[in-house]
Every structure is written in C-alpha cells, then in structure tokens.
Amino acid sequence: MARSLVVFLQRPGGQSQFSVPSRTPRPKNRPLRELLDAVAADPAGSYSVPELAAAAGTSTRQLTRLFQRELGTTPARHVERLRLEAAQTLLEAGHTVGSAAARSGFGSDESLRRHSCTTSVCRRPCTAAGSPAPR
C-alpha cells in the first residue's frame, strides 16, 4: 500500500530510499514471514543460518531453499542488507560509526566499513585498510 502512495520513484537529494522490508516481497510461508519480521525488528541480534533455521522450525537447507524461492536471496545476505540499512539510519541520526556498527549488529566499525564497501551503500571511496579500491 505504501509503495502505491509514494510520489517519487527515487527520492530527491540525500534522502534514504525505500527500506529493505518494504522492497522485500512478502513470503507466503508463515514461519518465514514471522522470521523476517523478527530480524527487521532487531537487526543487531544473533542471526547465523542455523539459528534462523531453528527459529523458523526448519533445517538450514530448507531455510536456504525458502529464502531463495520466496525472496531470491540467501538468509545471510538478507540479514546483511537489513543491518546495513539500520547502520545507515543510525549514522544519519548522528551516531558515530562505532556506535552504529554495534547497534546494527556489525560489532565493530571496521566490520561495518568492510560490509558497506562491498555493496552499493558505499558512495564514497573506501578508507578502511585493506578495503577494495573504488571503481
């Protein structure tokens, strides 16, 4: 519903675009829907694939299949996208890089920089030691 009411396809200026949960198709599988809601509510939680599978009441292999079939991605990649978005929101709110990293589940500022520089979130050249050179 929210997508149909949005005027801009791309928001102007430096505004954040649509959130990961709003861009993610709603899964038909009820346990998967509940799992996605839980991860979106607390991106800093501990979300290894075995832990996610146990929370969904399925095997890791079946969870990976469900994610691929219903979302077109892996569980780890989905959690990473949610965490990056949470970190970006915290940074825009004025948190330090270290604080945003800890609150979004990355643990350290180095880990946040490494993850953000391997995705499209990184808009500036990477400054982290050992990070890939910008293209």
Side-chain angles (χ1 to χ4, degrees), residues 72 97 105:
V97 175

Side-chain angles (χ1 to χ4, degrees), residues 24-25 27 31-41 67 71 78 82:
T24 304
L32 185 57
R33 272 195 318 267
E34 292 171 357
L35 183 65
L36 293 180
D37 291 342
V39 174
F67 263 84
L71 305 176
H78 183 75
L82 285 169

Side-chain angles (χ1 to χ4, degrees), residues 79-129:
V79 170
E80 179 186 40
R81 287 176 36 213
L82 285 169
R83 286 179 172 170
L84 283 169
E85 182 177 276
Q88 183 178 6
T89 301
L90 289 166
L91 289 169
E92 289 171 355
H95 287 266
T96 65
V97 175
S99 171
R103 290 176 181 231
S104 61
F106 284 107
S108 70
D109 56 347
E110 179 62 31
S111 180
L112 173 58
R113 284 186 182 102
R114 190 172 41 252
H115 280 87
S116 67
C117 287
T118 59
T119 66
S120 62
V121 172
C122 188
R123 293 184 181 98
R124 290 176 265 145
C126 295
T127 57

Side-chain angles (χ1 to χ4, degrees), residues 1-118:
M1 179 59 124
R3 282 190 213 162
S4 66
L5 297 175
V6 174
V7 177
F8 296 104
L9 290 177
Q10 280 261 298
R11 292 182 185 179
Q15 293 180 357
S16 296
Q17 303 301 320
F18 301 115
S19 67
V20 172
S22 72
R23 289 189 318 255
T24 304
R26 197 76 178 142
K28 295 174 186 165
N29 183 287
R30 183 171 168 250
L32 185 57
R33 272 195 318 267
E34 292 171 357
L35 183 65
L36 293 180
D37 291 342
V39 174
D42 180 24
S46 178
Y47 299 118
S48 68
V49 176
E51 289 171 325
L52 290 171
T58 185
S59 69
T60 56
R61 192 170 176 184
Q62 179 62 17
L63 181 71
T64 303
R65 284 188 200 119
L66 283 170
F67 263 84
Q68 202 61 46
R69 183 177 64 228
E70 299 215 22
L71 305 176
T73 189
T74 65
R77 181 68 185 129
H78 183 75
V79 170
E80 179 186 40
R81 287 176 36 213
L82 285 169
R83 286 179 172 170
L84 283 169
E85 182 177 276
Q88 183 178 6
T89 301
L90 289 166
L91 289 169
E92 289 171 355
H95 287 266
T96 65
V97 175
S99 171
R103 290 176 181 231
S104 61
F106 284 107
S108 70
D109 56 347
E110 179 62 31
S111 180
L112 173 58
R113 284 186 182 102
R114 190 172 41 252
H115 280 87
S116 67
C117 287
T118 59

